[in-house]
């Protein structure tokens, strides 16, 4: 499937998602956890990017990769998140976009090497990836991030 077709499908699938709810989590004082706020901000920004980006150099994405990634996300939600179909659909679409079209990390990142996921010298790195990739049906297999070597774990 062409990346432009996948992007079109993602846009259509996200049309009815209540994105303002997610955007409001960033500033809502009821949400105290900084990770929740960081994830809400990142995913809101990715949502906006999905609707603003135009693919100029279209490329092929293997249908099997898309199918496998959807299945792995479904597995994760069945095991850990229960029956929240709206969140599953949102996560699936955001993840497909990040991993297969934008080639960006599935998790929020910064330029700070002290963070778990960071950008440095044109590459993305993830500290937990070395262990998380071994989880059953881990989405790390699709993520653009590189492993951080042992010495990089202590920034």
């Amino acid at each position: 499937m062409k990346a432009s077709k996948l992007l079109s499908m993602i846009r259509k699938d996200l049309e009815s998602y209540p994105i303002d709810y997610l955007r409001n989590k960033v500033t809502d004082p009821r949400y105290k956890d900084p990770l929740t706020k960081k994830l809400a901000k990142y995913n809101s920004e990715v949502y906006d990017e999905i609707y603003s980006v135009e693919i100029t150099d279209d490329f092929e994405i293997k249908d099997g990769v898309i199918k496998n990634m959807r299945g792995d996300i479904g597995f994760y939600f069945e095991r850990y998140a229960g029956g929240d179909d709206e969140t599953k659909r949102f996560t699936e679409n955001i993840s497909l976009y990040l991993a297969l079209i934008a080639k960006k990390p599935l998790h929020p990142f910064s330029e700070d090497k002290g963070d778990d996921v960071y950008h440095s010298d044109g590459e993305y790195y993830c500290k937990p990836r070395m262990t998380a990739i071994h989880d059953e049906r881990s989405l790390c297999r699709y993520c653009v991030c590189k492993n951080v070597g042992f010495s990089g774990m202590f920034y």
Side-chain angles (χ1 to χ4, degrees), residues 80-100:
Y80 301 108
D84 184 356
D85 287 336
E86 186 175 66
T87 301
K88 176 186 173 275
R89 249 185 43 252
F90 179 80
T91 302
E92 182 178 285
N93 284 296
I94 292 288
S95 298
L96 286 167
Y97 172 76
L98 286 169
L100 304 179

Side-chain angles (χ1 to χ4, degrees), residues 18-155:
I19 192 63
D20 288 337
Y21 168 76
L22 190 62
R23 283 190 179 109
N24 290 336
K25 276 187 176 181
V26 178
T27 56
D28 190 327
R30 293 176 293 175
Y31 296 96
K32 306 284 186 209
D33 179 28
L35 182 58
T36 298
K37 289 181 177 289
K38 190 175 186 178
L39 195 55
K41 182 177 187 299
Y42 184 60
N43 287 341
S44 297
E45 290 169 354
V46 171
Y47 177 92
D48 291 339
E49 183 179 315
I50 286 169
Y51 285 98
S52 66
V53 72
E54 293 301 328
I55 296 175
T56 53
D57 293 322
D58 212 356
F59 55 95
E60 195 69 31
I61 301 169
K62 293 181 180 179
D63 291 344
V65 172
I66 297 168
K67 181 182 175 196
N68 289 343
M69 191 170 178
R70 286 183 195 275
D72 291 342
I73 293 167
F75 172 83
Y76 175 86
F77 271 83
E78 286 172 18
R79 179 169 278 189
Y80 301 108
D84 184 356
D85 287 336
E86 186 175 66
T87 301
K88 176 186 173 275
R89 249 185 43 252
F90 179 80
T91 302
E92 182 178 285
N93 284 296
I94 292 288
S95 298
L96 286 167
Y97 172 76
L98 286 169
L100 304 179
I101 297 173
K103 311 284 194 225
K104 291 182 179 177
L106 298 176
H107 292 290
F109 64 92
S110 74
E111 304 296 318
D112 181 355
K113 290 183 179 181
D115 286 345
D116 279 350
V117 183
Y118 62 91
H119 184 253
S120 177
D121 299 322
E123 301 285 351
Y124 297 100
Y125 296 91
C126 179
K127 293 178 183 178
R129 187 177 194 276
M130 258 194 321
T131 55
I133 199 164
H134 299 292
D135 293 348
E136 187 176 1
R137 299 184 77 173
S138 171
L139 295 180
C140 295
R141 296 177 298 140
Y142 306 99
C143 188
V144 69
C145 287
K146 296 179 180 280
N147 291 341
V148 176
F150 182 74
S151 62
M153 303 289 274
F154 303 104
Y155 283 105

Side-chain angles (χ1 to χ4, degrees), residues 10-17 47 50-51 90 93-94:
I10 290 169
R11 285 174 175 163
K12 183 165 178 38
D13 206 28
L14 288 176
E15 278 176 348
S16 63
Y17 185 78
Y47 177 92
I50 286 169
Y51 285 98
F90 179 80
N93 284 296
I94 292 288

